Amino acid sequence: MESNHIPGRRERQLLRGQDNPLFGWPPAPLDPAALEAARTADRAALERFRERFAQQLERAAKLGEHGDGTEVMALKETLEQLYEESFGLPAALEREREALAGLIETIARSLARATRDDPEASAALAEFERARATHFALLRQPLVGDLLDPEGPIGPSELLPTLLSVPAEEFDAALALFDELQRRTLVRDGEALLARLEAAGVDCVEPRRRLAALVDVAR
């Protein structure tokens, strides 16, 4: 793999499972055909993103800051979706993200001005914007966006192995996505998974540490 290669969401998940006993025993090597298919799908997603990005920039320019409220909110939602989507694509898209964030912030300021005489609406908007800022920060960790994508590559059977495999920063950020019941279910299933692997002689020291952290959060 080229040193400057940026994997997309589908390729990234394949790489997580490569030779990884948490994804199946005995561990499976990377399938070249599956890798090429993942890269093709990721490149297609990147092209769709670029088309939609250009369309939304044009839409924003036509709408301006004083468009219909419903249209402005719809535009903001689409821009936020594009921002989230950008983290799963096989390219460095910092400039596009900066442009999206700038447009989103412009709309947010416009909405704040429109609600400043309504304390309840203003407070609700401020709370939403704080949540958005937190969400955008979490997206810097690749696993978060991968899990949030409704058509993402992480199926139910791969959720736990993925959580127990990713770097600590990604694991910590992803925990915010699960409620207490989901965490308890992950702990239960994790105990069973690691017990099976340990019985087969697999070293599970690191996954055990990750599971212990999940147990602490689930209490």
Side-chain angles (χ1 to χ4, degrees), residues 1 9 13 19 28-29 31 42 44 46 59 126 142 166 179 204 210:
M1 187 182 301
R9 191 160 286 164
Q13 185 61 15
D19 298 318
D31 179 352
D42 285 335
L46 176 60
R59 178 185 176 191
V166 296
D179 60 28
C204 293
R210 192 63 51 76

Side-chain angles (χ1 to χ4, degrees), residues 75-87:
L75 172 62
K76 183 171 181 286
E77 182 178 347
T78 300
L79 296 174
E80 290 169 347
Q81 290 170 351
L82 283 170
Y83 188 90
E84 181 175 302
E85 182 183 335
S86 72
F87 287 94

Side-chain angles (χ1 to χ4, degrees), residues 117-145:
D117 294 328
D118 183 339
E120 185 175 341
S122 182
L125 181 63
E127 178 60 30
F128 179 85
E129 290 306 315
R130 284 192 292 270
R132 176 174 64 80
T134 299
H135 179 67
F136 278 11
L138 288 175
L139 288 172
R140 291 285 170 181
Q141 300 301 330
L143 180 58
V144 172

Side-chain angles (χ1 to χ4, degrees), residues 22 193-198 201-209:
L22 292 168
L193 172 62
L194 296 188
R196 289 196 302 271
L197 290 175
E198 287 167 341
V202 178
D203 180 359
C204 293
V205 171
E206 286 303 318
R208 277 283 174 199
R209 289 195 183 115

Side-chain angles (χ1 to χ4, degrees), residues 56-57 59-61 63-80 99-115 125 128-129 132:
Q56 296 312 311
L57 289 186
R59 178 185 176 191
L63 189 60
E65 291 189 40
H66 307 292
D68 174 79
T70 301
E71 290 181 307
V72 170
M73 289 299 295
L75 172 62
K76 183 171 181 286
E77 182 178 347
T78 300
L79 296 174
E80 290 169 347
L100 289 167
L103 285 170
I104 292 167
E105 183 60 31
T106 296
I107 294 173
R109 287 197 300 268
S110 176
L111 293 172
R113 288 194 298 269
T115 61
L125 181 63
F128 179 85
E129 290 306 315
R132 176 174 64 80

Side-chain angles (χ1 to χ4, degrees), residues 15-70:
L15 295 175
R16 289 176 180 135
Q18 179 182 5
D19 298 318
N20 187 338
L22 292 168
F23 283 76
W25 184 257
L30 191 62
D31 179 352
L35 176 61
E36 184 53 37
R39 287 184 167 184
T40 299
D42 285 335
R43 287 193 294 266
L46 176 60
E47 290 306 309
R48 290 194 298 272
F49 169 85
R50 284 177 167 153
E51 289 175 4
R52 292 180 62 214
F53 175 75
Q55 290 168 355
Q56 296 312 311
L57 289 186
E58 182 178 355
R59 178 185 176 191
K62 290 180 179 178
L63 189 60
E65 291 189 40
H66 307 292
D68 174 79
T70 301

